[in-house]
Structures are given as C-alpha cells and as structure tokens.
Amino acid sequence: MQPDQLGIEDILFKQGLINANQLSAVKLESINSGKSTERIIQEHQLVSAAKFYSARAQLLGVSFIDLEGKAIPTEVLDLVPEAAASRYHIIPFDRKDDKLFVAMVDPLDLQIIQFIEKKSGLFIKPYLAALGDITKAINDQYSQNLTSDVTSALKEVTDLKKGEEDQTADKAEVIREAPVANIITQLLEYAVKSRASDIHVEPLEDKTRVRYRIDGILHEKIILPRGVHDALVSRIKILSSLKIEEKRLPQDGRFSYISSKHVYDLRISTVPTVFGEKVVMRLLPKSSVAPTLQELGLRGSALRTLETQITRPHGIILICGPTGSGKTTTLYSILTKLSTTRVNILTIEDPVEYQILGTNQVQVNPQIGLTFASALRSFLRQDPNIMLVGEVRDTETAELAIQAALTGHQVFSTLHTNTASGSLPRLLDMGVESFLLASSINAAVGQRILRQICPGCKVSFDPPPEVADNIRRVLGRLVPENQPIKLYKGSGCEQCGHLGYLGRIGIFEVLSLSPKIMQLVLERSSAKEIEAVAISEGMITLKQDGYMKVLEGVTTLEEVLRVAED
C-alpha cells in the first residue's frame, strides 16, 4: 500500500496503538457497514481522543495541538472575535512575529484560513484539534471577557507611568477605578463559577499567569500582559488594606466579596518573587455550613468508631494528614455535631476559616503573644467542655492538650503526619511521656481528599487483569472473590468543564486506642507495628477506603494512587 493511501487505522497500527486483530476488524466493519474507519475507531473507543486526533493530523500532514490546560494570552484571543471562533470552531492559541497559530477542526479549510488572515492581518499556521477541546477552550477562554478590560487597563498603566511625578495617592485613586477593578471582579466571578478555592496571580518574566485551584488541582486559565501586573497587585492590596509601596516583604490581608449568590471572605497573601509580587487569594464562603461526617466520606466501621469516640466526655482525638487534606473541615463537622446549648466549646485557630454557631472561636496572634499554648492555658480557666486546638506544633501545646484531656475535657486537634498510626510516635518524639499519651488519646483519624467522578459523564470499563488483581490483593476480605471488578471514569462534559471530575470526597482511616495499641505506645513501638495491630483489629486503611470508593464508582484509581500511595 502506498503511503498516500494509508488510512488512520494504518497509522494507529504502525504506532502500536491498535493490534493486527483490531486493524482487520475495523477494515472489515467499514466494508460491511459503509462507515468510515475513523468513525468506527471513535465508536469503539479503541484509542484516546488525543491519540486519535494526533494520528489524524499525521494523516492530513498538519500539526496537532492538545488544548487541555492551555492558557491563551488575551492579546492573542483578541485577534479572533468570539462569534467567529464559535461559528467556525476555531481558536487562536499563540502568536510569534507575523504568524498566528490557530486550532481548527478542519485545518485544510482554506476559506476559513483566508478569512482569519484578512481579519487579523497575520499569516495563519493551522493546527488540528478535537472539536470538544476547541469548544471547551472557547467557553473557558472567552468567558473571561477580559480582553477589552486588559486593553483599557494597559492604557491606564501607561498613563500612570507617563505621570511619574504624580503623587502616590493620585495613583491609588486611578487604580481603584475601572478597568483594573473590573479585571479583579472578572477573576473572582470566574473563581465562583468554577468552584475554585484559590486564585494564584503569578508574575513571570514576560507575562502574568492566573491559575485556579479547582477540586484540589491547579489549572492555568488566563495569561495577562506583564504590564498590567503591578496595577492588579496594587488594586488587591487596596482592597485588603495592605501597604501598596511595600514590595519587599510578604503581607497578609483579607476582604469580603459579594457575588450574585454568596458572600465570600477572601484571605490574601503576597510574597516578593524574582519577577514581582505573587498574590494568592483564598475564597471562603461566609454562609458555608460544615458538611456532615457522612457527606465527607466517612461510613461503615470508620464512621461508627469515630462517632463512638466523639461522644466520650474526655480525651484527645487527633485528625492527621498533610496540608490541604481537609483536616479543619472534619473538625468543623465534628464540632457542628457536638455544639448544643449544654456545652461550652472554645477553639483556637490559625486562622478562623468558618464560623460555627454556638462556639467561641479565637484566632492566634503571635505578635501579641496569643499562641496555641497561651490560649490553651486561658481556656482551662473558662470552664470548657470541649476545646479545639488548630494544630499541635510543639511540645508545650501537646503537653497542655494532654493535661486538659486528663482533667476531664474533650480536646480535638490536628497533626501533620501521613497516617493515623504515625501520630503516636510523632507525639513521643516531641517529648510527651508514653504513659500520659496512652491514657489521654482516644482516637487518631488519617485522611486525604480526592476528586469525585462527574455523575453527568460517568462511564464504566473493565480494568486490565493485573489492575484487578492488585485491587483484590489490597482489599483482601473486603471484596468477595467472585465479585467482578468494574472501574469508572468521567468522559468529560459541560457540567464538569470537560475534566471528568466534579466535587471532592474524603478517604479515611480511624485508629481507636485499644488495650493492645496502648501497650505498644508504652513500649514506644514504631508506626508500622501500631498499624499492623490496628489492621488486625479491623481498621480499614486509607488505601482500602479509597479502593472501595473506586469500586463504587465514586472516584478513579488514579486519584486514590495520587493521594494515598505510600
């Protein structure tokens, strides 16, 4: 067969992406049904969309572009109007000198190419991209509606630079006004719409990029001209009551933002970098109600054990995990469950993220000597029933928490360890006496957060035999031998922004201090020894809990391995 007669199925076969049997089956079905081989390959999902379109681009003799996660500079987007992009299923994604790089469904359509060349005045370099990727990119990129605002903001910045002799107050007044303020509003509105928890505004050498943390993962969404960066930072500083002229030291502030549906408390952090000040804005919904333990992802024996332990009148319960694993949210859920008019609850936090009705919440302030330890001492004179200490950071705080637990108080806190069993040796390493630890700790909870599969585009598939064997080995007695192993994934839809994931859920392990584990603590045993005994007594590990949620179609195997792999 001559090279010019090759079909897409032949290219995929040469690349080793389909085997000889699949190649023959595709060609035979095409002859019998009259369908194109391309359509048959897509219908049977023989290869991923990216691999399919890459092969198609090779067939057509053009380049392929994967638009997933690609941020497009606003000045490039401005060259093709959104109406034209939507109508012709195209999107410009880069520019170099007099060349404009454009993603197209049909990169051989000369009529569209000539139209864009006339519109932009640039030479067009067409690339092939999947229709779904182009549609998603148009929705994501143009929905910012930032192009005109940035153009106006750049003019404002230029005017400011021309008038260097102007007073700082005059500059600040200009920054307060649109369009720089409008850009901030657009950034915040998109964060609300996409359920982002953080916005990163980062200066690079020749541009400013904006990234959003959505369901725990950072996504690069917008590229802004470098010239607008200082004006954006100054505007954010004014809103947060920070010092505009101080650019050498990190600063922290906060302000409130009212969207169409909710009020958000924004925590602002600035740090000086090589190319300028980086700003991170964390969005905290003020009206947020803490989820229940079941909504967090706790169930079965882990839920029963934790609910039993939190009803005990005294002792310590530790929530363990790395930064960003949802420890504070779990504590808030527990306190919401325990908060009644019959108990006095005091918390010391850094910072207070959500307000819980009926509790007395205090924020640490080291500058005036208000630390976890000093607050805990004061709490003991406030007739408390329940105390929450945001984090056990040092020996003094640990000893005070144990003293409170031994004198009849219920204490909750967090610890930065990877597993529940690792919390006990960590406290011993801090210098806490083993006999005090054994008699004061009620339970330790290890946790992680992972993304849930989008219910709108969830599809099932049969895993390879080695993957199924691994799942059976990890779960052991928790999965019946004759149960078929089926996995799930999100194919991507409008509801989840074509990510395949929507929302997050926790995986947990709850270690209760039994007499055997107390003895191991007294003997200063390792975390591995403690975990082995806990498992023999029925504890379900983080990985096992994750794998069970995989089999239920809640999440994917990749997510569990990402957050819970040893």
Side-chain angles (χ1 to χ4, degrees), residues 1-20 22-24 26-27 37-38 41 46-47 50-62 64 128:
M1 183 178 281
Q2 296 301 314
D4 59 344
Q5 294 177 303
L6 287 175
I8 193 169
E9 70 279 7
D10 300 302
I11 291 172
L12 291 170
F13 175 67
K14 288 176 76 174
Q15 292 175 344
L17 297 172
I18 62 173
N19 57 39
Q22 288 172 319
L23 176 66
S24 302
V26 166
K27 289 187 174 183
T37 53
E38 289 190 8
I41 290 166
L46 296 179
V47 294
K51 293 280 194 297
F52 175 84
Y53 282 100
S54 178
R56 189 165 187 270
Q58 189 177 327
L59 185 70
L60 297 174
V62 297
F64 168 72
L128 176 71

Side-chain angles (χ1 to χ4, degrees), residues 196-459:
S197 60
D198 301 85
I199 307 171
H200 293 238
V201 182
E202 301 170 303
L204 304 178
E205 188 173 6
D206 56 348
K207 59 190 176 185
T208 291
R209 72 174 177 184
V210 181
R211 294 193 288 171
Y212 291 87
R213 190 174 292 280
I214 303 168
D215 290 336
I217 306 292
L218 276 173
H219 298 272
E220 186 175 279
K221 291 291 184 182
I222 309 165
I223 297 293
L224 299 174
R226 184 66 180 83
V228 81
H229 182 80
D230 290 342
L232 282 179
V233 173
S234 296
R235 170 65 183 166
I236 293 167
K237 282 183 171 181
I238 288 168
L239 290 168
S240 314
S241 302
L242 301 178
K243 296 176 183 175
I244 301 176
E245 297 302 313
E246 181 54 82
K247 300 183 178 182
R248 301 165 301 167
L249 294 172
Q251 296 187 70
D252 294 311
R254 63 198 311 156
F255 68 90
S256 292
Y257 172 70
I258 303 172
S259 76
S260 54
K261 293 181 180 178
H262 299 286
V263 178
Y264 289 86
D265 189 23
L266 275 87
R267 284 188 3 225
I268 310 301
S269 172
T270 70
V271 293
T273 70
V274 175
F275 299 117
E277 287 183 282
K278 174 182 174 178
V279 179
V280 174
M281 297 184 276
R282 168 155 287 186
L283 285 84
L284 300 166
K286 279 191 173 179
S287 58
S288 180
V289 178
T292 64
L293 294 174
Q294 290 93 327
E295 287 169 345
L296 289 177
L298 273 154
R299 73 273 175 85
S301 60
L303 178 62
R304 286 194 301 274
T305 302
L306 184 57
E307 285 184 330
T308 300
Q309 294 297 339
I310 66 177
T311 54
R312 293 177 67 177
H314 53 81
I316 300 175
I317 291 179
L318 294 169
I319 311 295
C320 311
T323 303
S325 58
K327 300 187 295 294
T328 305
T329 304
T330 302
L331 284 177
Y332 282 171
S333 298
I334 292 171
L335 287 192
T336 302
K337 188 177 178 73
L338 296 176
S339 181
T340 68
T341 54
R342 295 189 296 277
V343 292
N344 179 22
I345 301 177
L346 293 159
T347 80
I348 174 71
E349 304 168 59
D350 182 20
V352 174
E353 292 193 11
Y354 299 107
Q355 293 170 0
I356 307 169
L357 194 65
T359 62
N360 307 283
Q361 295 172 270
V362 179
Q363 183 158 316
V364 298
N365 190 345
Q367 294 175 338
I368 59 171
L370 181 56
T371 62
F372 284 122
S374 64
L376 203 46
R377 275 198 197 88
S378 301
F379 283 2
L380 291 170
R381 297 190 290 274
Q382 284 279 320
D383 185 30
N385 298 102
I386 299 167
M387 289 183 281
L388 182 151
V389 184
E391 186 185 340
V392 176
R393 291 178 179 172
D394 51 48
T395 307
E396 186 183 11
T397 308
E399 288 176 343
L400 284 167
I402 286 172
Q403 180 190 335
L406 293 173
T407 52
H409 303 93
Q410 202 173 16
V411 181
F412 296 93
S413 190
T414 70
L415 200 59
H416 281 195
T417 59
N418 288 328
T419 60
S421 55
S423 62
L424 302 171
R426 173 66 60 84
L427 290 170
L428 291 171
D429 290 343
M430 282 185 181
V432 176
E433 293 290 348
S434 58
F435 65 91
L436 292 176
L437 195 61
S439 54
S440 61
I441 302 287
N442 289 344
V445 180
Q447 72 174 76
R448 299 286 191 281
I449 298 182
L450 37 73
R451 293 180 291 173
Q452 294 187 93
I453 298 171
C454 172
C457 58
K458 182 162 72 173
V459 293

Side-chain angles (χ1 to χ4, degrees), residues 462-474 485 487 547 557 561:
D462 295 317
E466 60 272 18
V467 173
D469 291 342
N470 173 256
I471 291 171
R472 290 188 189 280
R473 187 170 60 253
V474 170
I485 302 291
L487 302 186
Y547 274 26
L557 194 61
L561 295 175

Side-chain angles (χ1 to χ4, degrees), residues 496-543:
C496 61
H498 298 276
L499 295 173
Y501 295 99
L502 185 66
R504 293 194 285 173
I505 197 165
I507 55 173
F508 298 86
E509 60 182 19
V510 180
L511 184 150
S512 181
L513 260 73
S514 65
K516 279 187 181 179
I517 293 175
M518 284 183 185
Q519 186 59 41
L520 290 176
V521 173
L522 292 171
E523 294 168 2
R524 306 181 75 88
S525 300
S526 69
K528 273 196 170 179
E529 292 172 296
I530 293 170
E531 185 176 71
V533 171
I535 291 170
S536 71
E537 293 180 342
M539 183 184 84
I540 293 170
T541 65
L542 280 170
K543 200 169 182 180

Side-chain angles (χ1 to χ4, degrees), residues 42-80:
Q42 286 181 302
E43 283 179 355
H44 291 291
Q45 296 182 338
L46 296 179
V47 294
S48 67
K51 293 280 194 297
F52 175 84
Y53 282 100
S54 178
R56 189 165 187 270
Q58 189 177 327
L59 185 70
L60 297 174
V62 297
S63 300
F64 168 72
I65 178 70
D66 186 357
L67 296 170
E68 177 65 38
K70 187 171 185 62
I72 301 171
T74 51
E75 62 268 28
V76 172
L77 281 175
D78 221 6
L79 293 168
V80 177

